[in-house]
Amino acid sequence: MSSTPSPTTPPDAVAADADREYQANLRRATLSSSVGSALEYFDFAMYGLMTALVFNQLFFDQSNPAMALIAAFGIYGVGFAARPIGGLVFGLLGDKVGRRFVLVTTIVLMGGSSMLIGVLPTYESVGALAPALLVILRLAQGFGAGAEQAGSTVLMAEYAPVKRRGFFSALPFVGIQAGTLLAGLAFSALTLLPEEQFLSWGWRLPFLASVVLILVALWIRAKLEETPTFVHLEKREQTADRPLRDIFTKGLPGVVTGIGLRMAENGGSYLFQSVSLAFVTSAAIGLDRGSVAWGVTLGSLIGVFSVPLTGAISDKVGRVPVYRFGAVFMLLYSFPAWWMLSLGSTGLSIAVVAIGIGVAVNSMLGPQCAMLPELFGNRHRYLGVAMARELSAVLAGGLAGVLGASLMAWTDGNWIVLGLYMATLAAITTASTFLVPETRGRDLLRTEDAIRLSTTEKDSAYEAEAAVVPGSGGADGTSSPARA
């Protein structure tokens, strides 16, 4: 809570108190967002690993294994289908009642659903009820996750110092890498169990463990204060009455462009995390599931460094050049990657997946953390980011599993087709980087979207005067994100 200075308090002391309070809130926001991101991606990465190698065996009729795999990935995609709805509902709330309320609600919904997956009965026990229950929990998981990552993204962009917004906004996304890394480590450890024990009870343990992250995230978020930019809107009674109308009448170009930017990053992530494992462990190639899963683990470890690094680089050279590098890298990497995976070498497959996740995907994720919030005006920023993220999650990530498994079945595991699929996603994102203005240093108190502005616009908080907001910093952006 803000302390009220006495009339005799020296101005320097007031400024120092405000700065300390801001720094404390920035730390809480970073930790809160990181834990939420870790939980979301631990659950989603674990679900992807289990889909390719466990759920297809335990939750479906095994008379046709290929169809069981496709059905398992179909339920995997159901979670993505629920994400835009969750993003819409919670995005509206985030722009009307604030970021903090939504982030507390989503962590309970998302984490609770994941925990309940760990106690589900299997197809052998209850027949068709088993996949039906899995669908319901997957829908609830996706519904909560639909606003969780958008909220973390907006929260950090609005708190971060303007000149280091790319770096600070990327820090919570280290939680993504930590969650994926933790999922890869847990899965690899569980595969050391005898097959019977792994399929009987071992696979349940990671989902049940979600309760720990839920409690930690709730404890942190209970102490979190609202972002300065939302407080600025409230004080001026500028919060959007109809954010949904605004996003379709004013924010649609930003949403569409944001979807394009996410196609390679999101789709490529899930192709490397789950489809590649199903590909190399298929009967045609026959690699060990536990060994190849180390590629996901190593890629996430690389991401712990590459995400904040590329975010920091985007503070120096701009968001667009760094983002375009990652998209072009994936475009050039697509066919060689799937060809190398088809060779059946364990070590080579691990390296391919690790580079795909750690370099190709995360070179886009780093600058994206600040770029998406910078694309949207203050009145509908939460909803805009949520729509861009979650609609792309359906079109890219959600379809990646189903379409990837289908392509494998239809072409008998032809690597060229899978390479073409990934290259198409990368080409869409590469093209999208030529449609956005440079947003580095944009004033997040502005209510209009950046995508409607000229690419030559000099909208920079470096040159702007500090807004009249409590704790507002100067143009160096080292104190407060008020003009961020």
Side-chain angles (χ1 to χ4, degrees), residues 99 158 229 233 376-381 444-447:
R99 323 313 192 196
E158 292 182 343
T229 53
L233 283 180
F376 296 97
N378 199 12
R379 286 163 61 89
H380 56 251
R381 178 170 297 123
L444 295 190
L445 289 178
R446 299 187 65 144
T447 56

Side-chain angles (χ1 to χ4, degrees), residues 269-339:
S269 175
Y270 287 103
L271 282 170
F272 281 122
Q273 285 185 34
S274 56
V275 177
S276 67
L277 298 190
F279 178 69
V280 299
T281 57
S282 63
I285 299 178
L287 296 183
D288 177 68
R289 66 187 179 193
S291 298
V292 180
W294 281 103
V296 177
T297 305
L298 183 58
S300 301
L301 183 60
I302 296 172
V304 169
F305 303 97
S306 61
V307 170
L309 175 62
T310 51
I313 293 173
S314 77
D315 283 328
K316 302 297 183 182
V317 304
R319 317 289 186 222
V320 174
V322 181
Y323 211 113
R324 189 175 296 152
F325 165 81
V328 172
F329 184 95
M330 181 175 286
L331 180 61
L332 299 176
Y333 188 61
S334 297
F335 288 103
W338 287 96
W339 170 69

Side-chain angles (χ1 to χ4, degrees), residues 1-253:
M1 297 297 292
S2 300
S3 57
T4 303
S6 69
T8 59
T9 303
D12 289 346
V14 174
D17 288 343
D19 188 64
R20 280 194 295 271
E21 182 179 355
Y22 164 66
Q23 294 295 337
N25 282 326
L26 179 61
R27 287 192 296 271
R28 281 194 288 266
T30 303
L31 187 57
S32 169
S33 300
S34 299
V35 173
S37 298
L39 174 60
E40 177 182 353
Y41 277 79
F42 173 80
D43 289 339
F44 270 72
M46 183 59 68
Y47 197 100
L49 292 167
M50 294 294 185
T51 295
L53 306 172
V54 177
F55 291 161
N56 59 319
Q57 298 184 54
L58 296 182
F59 287 87
F60 301 94
D61 185 358
Q62 293 301 295
S63 60
N64 189 334
M67 288 305 299
L69 180 62
I70 293 173
F73 272 114
I75 294 181
Y76 182 61
V78 161
F80 287 94
R83 290 180 69 139
I85 303 173
L88 175 62
V89 172
F90 289 116
L92 290 169
L93 289 172
D95 283 323
K96 289 177 72 70
V97 302
R99 323 313 192 196
R100 179 179 175 274
F101 168 79
V102 172
L103 287 171
V104 170
T105 305
T106 55
I107 199 74
V108 174
L109 181 59
M110 183 178 63
S113 302
S114 299
M115 183 184 65
L116 290 175
I117 289 175
V119 298
L120 283 180
T122 63
Y123 186 90
E124 185 179 4
S125 302
V126 296
L129 181 60
L133 291 173
L134 186 60
V135 167
I136 292 171
L137 290 179
R138 181 65 174 160
L139 282 169
Q141 185 189 52
F143 190 75
E148 169 64 32
Q149 202 58 60
S152 296
T153 301
V154 171
L155 183 79
M156 281 311 305
E158 292 182 343
Y159 259 118
V162 63
K163 277 193 174 182
R164 303 188 67 195
R165 186 188 293 151
F167 172 72
F168 274 95
S169 296
L171 289 181
F173 283 70
V174 174
I176 292 177
Q177 312 310 316
T180 307
L181 175 63
L182 186 59
L185 288 171
F187 185 83
S188 297
L190 289 171
T191 58
L192 299 176
L193 290 171
E195 182 83 5
E196 182 179 351
Q197 293 181 25
F198 175 67
L199 293 177
S200 174
W201 54 266
W203 69 270
R204 300 179 183 274
L205 298 180
F207 295 101
L208 295 174
S210 295
V211 67
V212 177
L213 287 176
I214 297 172
L215 294 175
V216 172
L218 281 176
W219 179 70
I220 297 169
R221 291 182 180 183
K223 300 181 178 182
L224 187 65
E225 293 188 7
E226 192 52 80
T227 68
T229 53
F230 188 80
V231 171
H232 180 77
L233 283 180
E234 285 188 315
K235 284 188 175 182
R236 285 154 181 77
E237 298 183 352
Q238 292 179 330
T239 53
D241 294 326
R242 295 186 176 94
L244 185 60
R245 181 192 63 183
D246 288 352
I247 207 66
F248 281 108
T249 57
K250 301 176 183 178
L252 194 58

Side-chain angles (χ1 to χ4, degrees), residues 287 291-292 294-295 298 340-341 344-355:
L287 296 183
S291 298
V292 180
W294 281 103
L298 183 58
M340 287 185 284
L341 288 172
S345 167
T346 299
L348 188 58
S349 296
I350 291 173
V352 166
V353 173
I355 293 171

